[in-house]
Amino acid sequence: DTAVSQTPKYLVTQMGNDKSIKCEQNLGHDTMYWYKQDSKKFLKIMFSYNNKELIINETVPNRFSPKSPDKAHLNLHINSLELGDSAVYFCASRSRGRAGELFFGEGSRLTVL
Amino acid sequence: QQPVQSPQAVILREGEDAVINCSSSKALYSVHWYRQKHGEAPVFLMILLKGGEQKGHEKISASFNEKKQQSSLYLTASQLSYSGTYFCGTETVNNNDMRFGAGTRLTVKP
């Protein structure tokens, strides 16, 4: 039973389109994150949600919007996709507190043509 | 502010040792170490909390020097399975966003 699951795993789309990536965790964790990993493997934090409240909002373009319908889900919606958005997007979760490890989803590879 | 990792890449023969370093300009609360294999998600190795400590995990151990805001990951008697990219992740004292270094690509050859 997958702890952190993301869908879709692969996404190929055209510039200008709008797309969403879904993330669900069944660990009962309170905090969830979205990370972007570019072609150079750099893991950049994008957003964090703690019990449905946004607690980090990095300086990412406002075309990116996180949405959390409940504490087990954190979806990422991207408007007007650009070539530079091509990357692997990882969802992660951790329990409340700061001594817990991050559990990552398998990643969603987004390719913008 | 993300931590700085060094070296960027390491190539080893099986059985050799390696050290990966991670440093921050901010006061740290914790340091995490993760390993990512090609095409997979990062996997947690260990966490070190402020207070300065050293931890071990099989033949992989790490230390955290709180005064210098530095951590080192030690891989001894490396195995082929150790190949991958190693990331340190840090949390500062003031907030708990986990920021990662640029990664160290470790290749272990037979």
Side-chain angles (χ1 to χ4, degrees):
Chain A
D1 201 18
T2 306
V4 182
S5 59
Q6 295 179 227
T7 54
K9 194 169 181 179
Y10 300 97
L11 188 54
V12 181
T13 188
Q14 300 288 328
M15 271 198 308
N17 284 350
D18 302 338
K19 290 293 178 187
S20 292
I21 305 172
K22 295 184 177 181
C23 178
E24 176 182 3
Q25 55 95 2
N26 61 8
L27 299 167
H29 287 167
D30 298 295
T31 304
M32 296 181 72
Y33 302 88
W34 276 108
Y35 286 89
K36 177 182 180 181
Q37 188 169 46
D38 59 24
S39 57
K40 295 184 178 180
K41 302 297 184 186
F42 183 59
L43 270 168
K44 179 185 174 183
I45 188 168
M46 299 180 73
F47 300 104
S48 171
Y49 258 76
N50 184 8
N51 210 13
K52 292 182 66 177
E53 180 184 355
L54 180 67
I55 58 174
I56 300 171
N57 189 347
E58 283 295 294
T59 54
V60 298
N62 58 13
R63 298 181 294 104
F64 291 80
S65 55
K67 287 188 168 46
S68 180
D70 54 62
K71 80 170 191 176
H73 297 84
L74 181 63
N75 303 325
L76 183 65
H77 188 74
I78 316 169
N79 290 325
S80 304
L81 279 156
E82 300 178 356
L83 293 176
D85 297 333
S86 295
V88 179
Y89 292 85
F90 285 101
C91 174
S93 73
R94 75 188 304 191
S95 57
R96 185 188 295 272
R98 303 173 67 174
E101 66 189 87
L102 266 66
F103 289 82
F104 284 87
E106 292 181 322
S108 297
R109 181 176 291 277
L110 172 66
T111 302
V112 183
L113 303 175
Chain B
Q1 186 118 11
Q2 56 267 19
V4 177
Q5 269 186 253
S6 63
Q8 289 185 329
V10 182
I11 299 175
L12 300 173
R13 293 285 179 189
E14 264 187 300
E16 292 182 340
D17 302 339
V19 180
I20 301 171
N21 300 304
C22 176
S23 64
S24 174
S25 59
K26 305 263 188 182
L28 296 178
Y29 176 83
S30 71
V31 179
H32 292 220
W33 286 97
Y34 292 79
R35 177 171 61 207
Q36 184 180 30
K37 293 190 178 280
H38 182 69
E40 299 180 6
V43 174
F44 174 78
L45 293 176
M46 65 188 76
I47 178 175
L48 301 105
L49 302 176
K50 79 181 184 81
E53 60 175 332
Q54 184 151 355
K55 277 195 172 180
H57 176 72
E58 297 177 346
K59 293 180 182 177
I60 301 173
S61 62
S63 63
F64 177 26
N65 185 322
E66 188 181 350
K67 288 184 180 178
K68 294 184 178 180
Q69 307 304 326
Q70 291 176 350
S71 178
S72 294
L73 184 71
Y74 306 95
L75 301 105
T76 58
S78 59
Q79 306 167 15
L80 294 175
S81 62
Y82 286 3
S83 291
T85 301
Y86 289 77
F87 292 96
C88 71
T90 57
E91 293 177 289
T92 64
V93 169
N94 296 322
N95 60 58
N96 64 349
D97 52 325
M98 178 70 60
R99 295 175 187 264
F100 289 93
T104 296
R105 186 169 184 168
L106 180 77
T107 305
V108 181
K109 296 187 173 181

